[in-house]
Amino acid sequence: MSSSATSISSANARPVPCLLGPTASGKTAAALAFAERHPVEIVSVDSALVYREMDIGTAKPDARERAAAPHHLIDIIDPADSYSAAQFRADALRLVGEITARGKLPLLVGGTMLYYKALTQGLNDLPTADAAVRARLDAEAARDGWPALHARLAEVDPATAARLTPNDSQRIQRALEVFMLSGQLMSALLAARRVASQGDGDAAYRFVPVALEPSDRAVLHGRIEARFDAMLAHGFIDEVKRLRARGDLDLSMPSMRCVGYRQAWKYLDGAFDHREMRDRSVFATRQLCKRQLTWLRAMPERIVVDCCAQDATKQAVEAIRRVMEGAL
């Protein structure tokens, strides 16, 4: 078993299942199917679901789904604000303790792998964000394009650049920001991960990943395309229009960098037509899916469920049950 499972485990650690998977892999359906039979509370592991007013484009569980079981870490901040992996780690550990104390079963569900890594491996000593540096990088990207900044990153930190796509603006910016502020490479700092702080209660739990992964990626790609078309049909563009109308949001904010929102914003700016916006959004979601699967497949301790199988939901429910009973 890898360090992500063993670093926070102990002889008496309580197993907590974490239902992870790329977008459109069926996580919500499996979590709700489990909730039908067990007294569960769901903790979201999703960096987009934390934002209020962003419902359609994030595929946020609807009122009926959220009534089936208590959900946590959804609709907790305004889109103008930010929410870090450190905040998620603290909130998730607190919630797992509170849910357990209520005699309920905690189930973590989502696809933001950075959050899962922060929860299970602790945090890293990285410099905090610097608005001036980010503004400078944004200006350079507007002039030269993100692929040019990706090429610059490859010169100073080839290891980090190799795991990022040339248009992964948020992560390219962060890696360059870290280098500019600290003079150190993001890859080196991540490799020197610091020991998780003591006394936060994480040793009481053993987080076990149950991963929904596709045996045929084309099936998942088809789901992604169909789901985005459904979002468009249900008023996604109007949702983005309402967000733009607030007047306090822009594309530099993490909320508006969420897949689909950036593309819709640029479409409304006139950067491209509706068809191109749709195609760019689907492509960006596929790229996100690829990154999520890369993270998952680096977890040898994960329990894999084929999300393309006809009985994928049933398999996932059984895996979650066995984790909670300590059988896995």
Side-chain angles (χ1 to χ4, degrees):
M1 187 173 287
S2 75
S3 61
S4 65
T6 59
S7 63
I8 59 170
S9 63
S10 67
N12 299 316
R14 179 190 180 107
V16 176
C18 302
L19 184 59
L20 307 176
T23 185
S25 59
K27 298 182 295 293
T28 298
L32 293 178
F34 185 82
E36 288 178 358
R37 303 178 179 88
H38 304 276
V40 70
E41 295 192 28
I42 295 170
V43 179
S44 171
V45 188
D46 191 302
S47 60
L49 297 189
V50 298
Y51 297 110
R52 294 186 289 270
E53 301 179 44
M54 296 172 59
D55 302 330
I56 299 172
T58 61
K60 190 173 291 178
D62 60 27
R64 179 187 58 81
E65 291 169 330
R66 291 165 71 173
H71 283 63
H72 303 279
L73 301 187
I74 294 178
D75 288 339
I76 59 172
I77 65 169
D78 186 84
D81 298 326
S82 60
Y83 186 76
S84 69
Q87 289 172 293
F88 167 79
R89 184 173 192 269
D91 287 342
L93 288 170
R94 172 182 55 79
L95 285 164
V96 168
E98 292 173 355
I99 293 166
T100 301
R102 286 193 287 270
K104 299 293 185 67
L105 302 173
L107 172 61
L108 277 66
V109 182
T112 300
M113 304 308 168
L114 180 61
Y115 282 9
Y116 179 79
K117 183 178 180 181
L119 177 66
T120 57
Q121 298 182 15
L123 303 169
N124 300 285
D125 286 325
L126 298 178
T128 57
D130 185 286
V133 170
R134 291 195 169 190
R136 174 181 165 187
L137 291 170
D138 279 335
E140 292 177 6
R143 184 187 68 228
D144 304 325
W146 284 107
L149 271 69
H150 181 266
R152 185 198 307 175
L153 177 63
E155 293 178 0
V156 297
D157 189 353
T160 297
R163 64 180 178 82
L164 304 179
T165 64
N167 286 304
D168 192 348
S169 58
Q170 190 167 359
R171 292 174 178 82
I172 293 169
Q173 182 188 66
R174 179 57 176 154
L176 287 171
E177 177 187 41
V178 166
F179 179 72
M180 293 166 68
L181 291 173
S182 69
Q184 301 184 69
L185 306 184
M186 172 78 86
S187 56
L189 290 171
L190 294 179
R193 188 175 61 246
R194 68 177 170 85
V195 177
S197 59
Q198 299 298 313
D200 59 6
D202 58 353
Y205 308 107
R206 178 170 63 90
F207 297 97
V208 183
V210 176
L212 285 165
E213 300 177 22
S215 56
D216 182 353
R217 197 172 295 186
V219 172
L220 197 57
H221 287 177
R223 291 183 190 175
I224 287 170
E225 191 168 357
R227 189 169 76 165
F228 190 72
D229 285 340
M231 290 176 179
L232 291 173
H234 283 88
F236 174 53
I237 297 301
D238 288 336
E239 180 173 88
V240 179
K241 286 180 179 178
R242 289 192 295 272
L243 291 165
R244 285 165 59 95
R246 290 175 33 146
D248 61 342
L249 303 176
D250 60 64
L251 289 179
S252 70
M253 296 176 172
S255 61
M256 294 300 101
R257 291 186 179 190
C258 290
V259 169
Y261 287 88
R262 171 182 287 273
Q263 291 78 14
W265 189 290
K266 289 186 174 181
Y267 158 67
L268 292 170
D269 276 341
F272 32 72
D273 62 23
H274 190 276
R275 181 68 188 187
E276 187 174 358
M277 176 276 297
R278 184 262 188 196
D279 291 345
R280 283 173 177 257
S281 298
V282 169
F283 178 76
T285 308
R286 288 179 178 178
Q287 293 299 108
L288 170 62
C289 171
K290 182 179 180 181
R291 293 193 297 272
Q292 290 170 316
L293 288 171
T294 298
W295 278 83
L296 283 173
R297 289 168 180 166
M299 302 177 193
E301 79 283 6
R302 74 196 189 283
I303 302 159
V304 178
V305 174
D306 179 10
C307 67
C308 299
Q310 289 188 342
D311 64 343
T313 296
K314 181 179 178 181
Q315 288 187 45
V317 167
E318 176 62 16
I320 295 167
R321 182 190 64 78
R322 294 181 65 196
V323 169
M324 287 189 168
E325 292 177 354
L328 292 173

